Amino acid sequence: MESKFEPGQTVTGKITGIQPYGAFVALEHGRQGLVHISEITHGFVRDIHDYLAVGDEITVKVLSVNEDESKISLSIRATEEGSRNQRRGIRIDNDGEGFHPLQDKLQEWIEQSMKEERKKG
């Protein structure tokens, strides 16, 4: 009995190959899917090997299934805590301090701007 994969479903698999554009994942029932480089994690991924290796067991979310072409699109980042909706209003400081809600930084930016204006005038 072949298992059907559905968008939104979370499954586990094993990395079987890595290309510059993504990682191939062996799924149950002999099926294979692809995690595109943009779906590995939030943020920019320069080198997939920094995140994944052949043989890694991973949890992925099914993004889409094209039965005609036997293609299954997968995402690791969709399974990560802090999905896109939860991350709204979050930024990384250039000084490396980490994540801060924009609201927390607003007062600091206003004060900084006011100091700069006083120096000019």
Side-chain angles (χ1 to χ4, degrees):
M1 177 175 156
E2 186 171 323
S3 174
K4 284 253 183 201
F5 292 95
E6 301 289 334
Q9 181 181 10
T10 300
V11 297
T12 58
K14 189 174 191 174
I15 303 290
T16 58
I18 296 177
Q19 294 295 321
Y21 53 84
F24 292 94
V25 181
L27 303 170
E28 60 187 22
H29 306 289
R31 299 294 303 269
Q32 182 169 290
L34 175 72
V35 177
H36 187 267
I37 190 169
S38 66
E39 291 296 335
I40 290 175
T41 190
H42 296 277
F44 180 74
V45 175
R46 183 177 309 277
D47 185 354
I48 295 172
H49 293 93
D50 292 341
Y51 297 88
L52 302 171
V54 172
D56 285 354
E57 296 276 339
I58 61 171
T59 300
V60 294
K61 185 170 274 192
V62 177
L63 296 178
S64 66
V65 179
N66 183 329
E67 292 293 345
D68 295 336
E69 296 180 21
S70 296
K71 292 183 180 180
I72 302 173
S73 296
L74 306 169
S75 175
I76 297 169
R77 76 179 187 162
T79 66
E80 293 176 349
E81 192 173 325
S83 67
R84 202 174 309 165
N85 290 336
Q86 294 169 328
R87 287 169 109 57
R88 283 189 202 158
I90 302 292
R91 66 181 289 277
I92 298 177
D93 282 328
N94 291 334
D95 60 9
E97 288 181 18
F99 290 99
H100 298 282
L102 291 174
Q103 182 179 2
D104 291 352
K105 299 297 283 181
L106 183 60
Q107 187 60 40
E108 179 183 331
W109 293 334
I110 292 170
E111 290 170 8
Q112 184 179 18
S113 177
M114 290 172 71
K115 285 179 186 177
E116 290 173 11
E117 286 297 316
R118 279 186 235 134
K119 287 180 184 177
K120 290 180 186 176

